[in-house]
Amino acid sequence: MSALRAPFPYFGGKRLAAQIIWERFGDPGGYVEPFCGSAAVLLNRPAFKGRRVETINDRDGWVANVWRAIKADPAGVAAECAGPLSEVDIHARMAWLNERRDGFVAWLEGDPEHYDAKAAAWWLTVASGSIGHPSEPGPWITRGGSLVSVPASSGVKRCFPALGSDRGVYANGRDVAAGMAALADRLSHVRITCGGWNMVVTPAALCARNGGDGSIAVLLDPPYEVGYDIYGSDGVGLSAAARDWCLRAPADMRIALCGYDSEHDELLAHGWTKVFGKAGSSGYGAGRASDRERIWFSPACLKPATQDSLFGDEAA
Ligand SMILES: C[S@@+](CC[C@H](N)C(=O)[O-])C[C@H]1O[C@@H](n2cnc3c(N)ncnc32)[C@H](O)[C@@H]1O
C-alpha cells in the first residue's frame, strides 16, 4: 500500500501533514475522518497488513459521491474524465451539477448503492480545471440550453480555467484509469458516510475497530474559525464544536485537531500538544495562510521518534 493522491485539489487538504499525523496515530484499529474532503490523510496512511476499520465522512454530497463512485465504478468515473481541460465544459458541467444540487444528498441517502459516476467525474473536472471552489453556488444555471445569471442583472459569475498548472485529473502524465483503480482498491474496505460530523463520532460509531494496536484515532479537520464559509454557509461554530468534543472525548483516544494559530490553545491546559502543520498544495497550503496551520494532538497520541523537518513542536 503506497501513498495515493486524491484526484482533485482541495482547499485545506492535509497531504503534507499526513506524515506527522501518522507518526502520532501509529496503527489504530479504528480510524475516523469526520471532515474528510480529499481524504488526503487516509490516502497517505502507512502500509499495514490485514484489515482495519476506517470511516470517512463529509457533509458535502458531491464529495461523498466522488468517493462512493470511485469505489464502486472506477472505470466509469475515469471514462467520464477523459480528455484535456475545456473551459466551456467546465461552465456547462458546473451548471449541470448546480441544477442537481438540491436533493442530491437525499438521493444518495435513499439507497446505499446510489452513486452517480458521471456527476463524480464532472465534479472532478470542475474541481481540477477551475480556479475557485466547486461548492460555490453560482449563479450557474441554464435556461433554454444557455448559461444565464441569477438574478439576470448580476451577470454570470465566471470561474477561471486553471491553465497555470495541471492538477487533479488533469495532472501531467497521470494515468487516470490506473489512478482510479488504485483508489478503488484502497477504498474497498473503507466506510463512506455523508452527513454532519457528529454522526461518526458517537460512542457507538467509534467503538468499531479491527487489528492494528487496537486504538481508535480521529482526525478532525473542520472548516476553521476563519474561512469556514468556503465550504458552505453552515460552517460557523464548527471549529469550536469540534474543540468541545475533544475536551469530552475518552482519554485513550488519539485525536488530531487542525486549525489556525491559537484557535485551539485551550486544549494545551488539558495535556494536548501543538505542532506547526502544513496543508496541501492548493488553497490554504499555497499561500501565506499555510504558515498559520497548526495541529493539536491529544495526550494519548504517540510521541514521534524523529522530528519531521516541516514541523516543530511549538508547545508541549
Ligand atoms: C478543511 S476541509 C477538510 C480537508 C481534508 N482534511 C483534506 O485533506 O482534504 C473541511 C471539510 O469539512 C466539510 N464539512 C463542512 N461542514 C461539515 C459538517 N457539518 N459535517 C461534516 N463535514 C463538513 C467540508 O465539506 C470540507 O470538505
Side-chain angles (χ1 to χ4, degrees), residues 167-209:
R167 316 177 307 168
V169 292
Y170 297 125
N172 254 333
R174 183 166 213 161
D175 180 337
V176 176
M180 294 296 173
L183 287 169
D185 189 48
R186 177 64 183 87
L187 294 172
S188 59
H189 297 291
V190 175
R191 309 188 299 181
I192 303 172
T193 58
C194 176
W197 67 285
N198 322 55
M199 82 178 171
V200 289
V201 293
T202 62
L206 284 173
C207 66
R209 69 189 88 192

Side-chain angles (χ1 to χ4, degrees), residues 8 10-12 32-40 55-68 105 108-109 123 133 135 191-200 219 221-223 230-232 234 238:
F8 56 99
Y10 204 59
F11 282 101
V32 183
E33 266 194 65
F35 303 91
C36 74
S38 67
T55 308
I56 58 174
N57 171 73
D58 202 286
R59 185 212 51 182
D60 188 313
W62 298 122
V63 171
N65 179 58
V66 158
W67 293 123
R68 225 189 226 195
V105 173
L108 283 178
E109 288 173 343
W123 188 92
H133 197 270
S135 74
R191 309 188 299 181
I192 303 172
T193 58
C194 176
W197 67 285
N198 322 55
M199 82 178 171
V200 289
L219 168 62
D221 188 12
I230 60 169
Y231 301 105
D234 70 347
L238 275 180

Side-chain angles (χ1 to χ4, degrees), residues 3-314:
L4 295 165
R5 286 290 284 268
F8 56 99
Y10 204 59
F11 282 101
K14 292 297 181 296
R15 184 173 59 84
L16 297 180
Q19 183 188 342
I20 191 175
I21 292 169
W22 285 112
E23 279 175 355
R24 285 155 176 84
F25 278 179
D27 182 14
Y31 172 69
V32 183
E33 266 194 65
F35 303 91
C36 74
S38 67
V41 175
L42 173 92
L43 297 178
N44 284 275
R45 180 173 184 162
F48 57 81
K49 288 205 173 88
R51 294 269 173 85
R52 304 289 181 268
V53 178
E54 297 175 315
T55 308
I56 58 174
N57 171 73
D58 202 286
R59 185 212 51 182
D60 188 313
W62 298 122
V63 171
N65 179 58
V66 158
W67 293 123
R68 225 189 226 195
I70 291 173
K71 180 177 178 175
D73 183 11
V77 177
E80 291 286 350
C81 290
L85 184 156
S86 155
E87 182 179 1
V88 285
D89 276 355
I90 287 174
H91 295 313
R93 288 175 179 181
M94 198 151 173
W96 186 92
L97 290 164
N98 269 332
E99 282 167 14
R100 285 155 185 81
R101 182 179 294 273
D102 290 344
F104 190 72
V105 173
W107 177 77
L108 283 178
E109 288 173 343
D111 188 315
E113 296 190 333
H114 275 174
Y115 65 90
D116 186 327
K118 185 170 82 175
W122 286 11
W123 188 92
L124 286 171
T125 57
V126 169
S128 303
S130 61
I131 298 170
H133 197 270
S135 74
E136 281 174 359
W140 297 96
I141 66 162
T142 53
R143 288 229 177 95
S146 295
L147 191 66
V148 296
S149 57
V150 180
S153 57
S154 68
V156 173
K157 183 185 165 207
R158 290 188 174 277
C159 60
F160 293 100
L163 299 175
S165 59
D166 290 325
R167 316 177 307 168
V169 292
Y170 297 125
N172 254 333
R174 183 166 213 161
D175 180 337
V176 176
M180 294 296 173
L183 287 169
D185 189 48
R186 177 64 183 87
L187 294 172
S188 59
H189 297 291
V190 175
R191 309 188 299 181
I192 303 172
T193 58
C194 176
W197 67 285
N198 322 55
M199 82 178 171
V200 289
V201 293
T202 62
L206 284 173
C207 66
R209 69 189 88 192
N210 191 25
D213 60 19
S215 65
I216 300 284
V218 180
L219 168 62
L220 290 167
D221 188 12
Y224 297 171
E225 208 52 59
V226 178
Y228 64 84
D229 46 347
I230 60 169
Y231 301 105
S233 54
D234 70 347
V236 64
L238 275 180
S239 155
R243 183 172 62 248
D244 284 351
W245 181 85
C246 289
L247 288 168
R248 289 179 280 107
D252 62 350
M253 200 164 277
R254 297 175 188 165
I255 305 168
L257 174 61
C258 305
Y260 265 171
D261 302 325
S262 56
E263 193 170 340
H264 302 302
D265 275 359
E266 184 184 344
L267 297 172
L268 300 178
H270 299 268
W272 288 56
T273 53
K274 175 185 178 184
V275 301
F276 292 96
K278 205 160 173 71
S281 57
S282 76
Y284 293 161
R288 294 181 58 196
S290 63
D291 297 341
R292 302 173 59 192
E293 296 272 354
R294 304 287 183 272
I295 308 174
W296 289 258
F297 289 99
S298 68
C301 287
L302 306 177
K303 295 272 173 280
T306 55
Q307 196 65 67
D308 187 288
S309 61
L310 281 176
F311 311 99
D313 277 328
E314 189 175 70

